[in-house]
Amino acid sequence: MRHAQLKAFHAVAVHGGFSRAAGALGLTQPAVSDHVRKLEEGYGVQLFTRAASGVALTEMGRKLFAIAERQFEAEAQAAELLARGRRLEEGQLTIGADAAVHILPALARFRVRHPKLAVRLVTGNSAQLLKRLEDFSIDIAVTAERPAEARFLARKLRSDRLVAVVQRSSQLARLKTIRFTELMKLPLILREDGSMTRHLLLTEAARRSLALSTTIEIESREAAREAAAQGLGLAIMSEGELTPDGRLAVLAIPDWTTEMEEWMTCLAARSSLNIIQSFFTLDVP
């Protein structure tokens, strides 16, 4: 059974005749008659009784009509759902960010522009988020790492200097600045493997042939900041990730010019999807 045959049968039943069905479908009457005839002959059934006064459904025809009604109603609902998705009135955008602070302003503008869309924001480090992007569990990743592979499309959001944060009551808080060499002699709070902050710190230490003194490894930026506030050591953070906290003091590192970049990334193969494109092309301050 072909879709065109069922559609022709349904139209004849709805409009009560082949001529009116042909007009509704934009076909010729012979074409509609041929579709219905082939449907009947293909299954060896009679769907209509034909008379000079018109056509009427047989018992088999009435049962098929009920099924066809449900199918075409489902098709209409599917078409409406897809149309709402095209108009960005339906759907969900899932964003993964290594630091929500970088994307919240854009997210607020997106919500104003598309209030009917559901938005989900998840967090993780750069490595975790790029893997989730490849697994299709998120649509857009905001990370400190720009993937080099051609299968990703990336847009730079910002660059910020790296600083050290320390408990405000510590004697180190009075310094205001600290040189990288001195930093390596102090207790440091390291992020987990996969963190770009950790990668940049260890890369710079290796470049200078310096060994870290004592470290404590803590997963997540928020936990590292809390550990610094509790006096467990110095945490390395991007200036763009700093939020007001009276328990912390910020120390500049004048001889370390490396900057932390933030990139908005999606899979190139999915970049043309309306919901991804609409966010990816937002103006971001």
Side-chain angles (χ1 to χ4, degrees):
M1 178 180 62
R2 294 183 177 179
H3 184 268
Q5 294 171 350
L6 185 62
K7 193 171 183 180
F9 158 77
H10 181 261
V12 173
V14 168
H15 296 285
F18 287 87
S19 295
R20 288 189 291 273
L25 294 175
L27 300 174
T28 64
Q29 180 176 334
V32 173
S33 298
D34 187 58
H35 281 317
V36 175
R37 179 181 58 80
K38 288 180 177 177
L39 182 60
E40 290 179 321
E41 291 179 353
Y43 290 91
V45 299
Q46 185 176 1
L47 301 173
F48 295 104
T49 58
R50 297 157 173 85
S53 58
V55 297
L57 286 166
T58 63
E59 181 62 23
M60 177 68 71
R62 283 192 292 272
K63 291 180 179 179
L64 181 60
F65 178 73
I67 295 171
E69 280 275 86
R70 293 194 295 270
Q71 175 171 324
F72 292 126
E73 175 63 24
E75 286 185 9
Q77 291 174 356
E80 174 58 24
L81 174 65
L82 293 172
R84 291 200 303 270
R86 182 176 56 204
R87 298 191 301 265
L88 298 179
E89 296 174 355
E90 181 94 18
Q92 175 176 289
L93 179 70
T94 302
I95 302 171
D98 58 3
V101 66
H102 297 308
I103 203 62
L104 287 178
L107 194 56
R109 289 198 301 280
F110 184 78
R111 289 287 292 155
V112 170
R113 188 174 298 180
H114 305 294
K116 294 183 180 180
L117 290 178
V119 177
R120 181 168 174 254
L121 180 63
V122 299
T123 59
N125 64 41
S126 295
Q128 292 167 342
L129 294 176
L130 290 177
K131 184 178 185 303
R132 294 183 74 174
L133 198 63
E134 291 187 277
D135 293 342
F136 301 101
S137 58
I138 61 175
D139 301 307
I140 292 173
V142 179
T143 70
E145 179 180 358
R146 180 185 186 179
E149 297 91 339
R151 65 180 181 276
F152 295 105
L153 182 66
R155 173 188 172 191
K156 188 174 180 179
L157 292 178
R158 60 188 295 158
S159 296
D160 296 287
R161 292 288 296 270
L162 290 160
V163 296
V165 295
V166 66
Q167 187 181 50
R168 185 171 292 278
S169 60
S170 168
Q171 292 184 349
L172 291 171
R174 304 172 189 172
L175 297 177
K176 306 299 182 186
T177 66
I178 188 168
R179 298 189 68 80
F180 191 88
T181 303
E182 297 303 313
L183 187 66
M184 293 298 99
K185 300 175 184 177
L186 299 170
L188 294 177
I189 300 165
L190 284 185
R191 291 279 308 282
E192 74 284 357
D193 282 332
S195 159
M196 182 56 65
T197 308
R198 175 192 179 110
H199 171 73
L200 293 175
L201 177 68
L202 296 183
T203 298
E204 183 66 13
R207 189 183 72 82
R208 301 188 189 209
S209 301
L210 297 174
L212 280 66
S213 177
T214 59
T215 63
I216 177 172
E217 183 173 312
I218 295 184
E219 188 171 326
S220 91
R221 179 176 291 98
E222 292 71 22
R225 181 167 51 234
E226 184 62 27
Q230 296 297 326
L232 294 179
L234 294 91
I236 306 302
M237 297 182 63
S238 158
E239 283 185 311
E241 297 165 356
L242 296 178
T243 55
D245 190 331
R247 302 171 301 164
L248 292 172
V250 179
L251 305 180
I253 311 170
D255 62 335
W256 189 21
T257 59
T258 298
E259 292 187 336
M260 173 80 84
E261 297 178 339
E262 287 293 326
W263 295 84
M264 180 161 58
T265 304
C266 69
L267 289 172
R270 303 185 71 216
S271 63
S272 61
L273 295 179
N274 282 1
I275 197 167
I276 293 178
Q277 190 177 69
S278 63
F279 192 87
F280 209 78
T281 55
L282 276 176
D283 291 331
V284 180

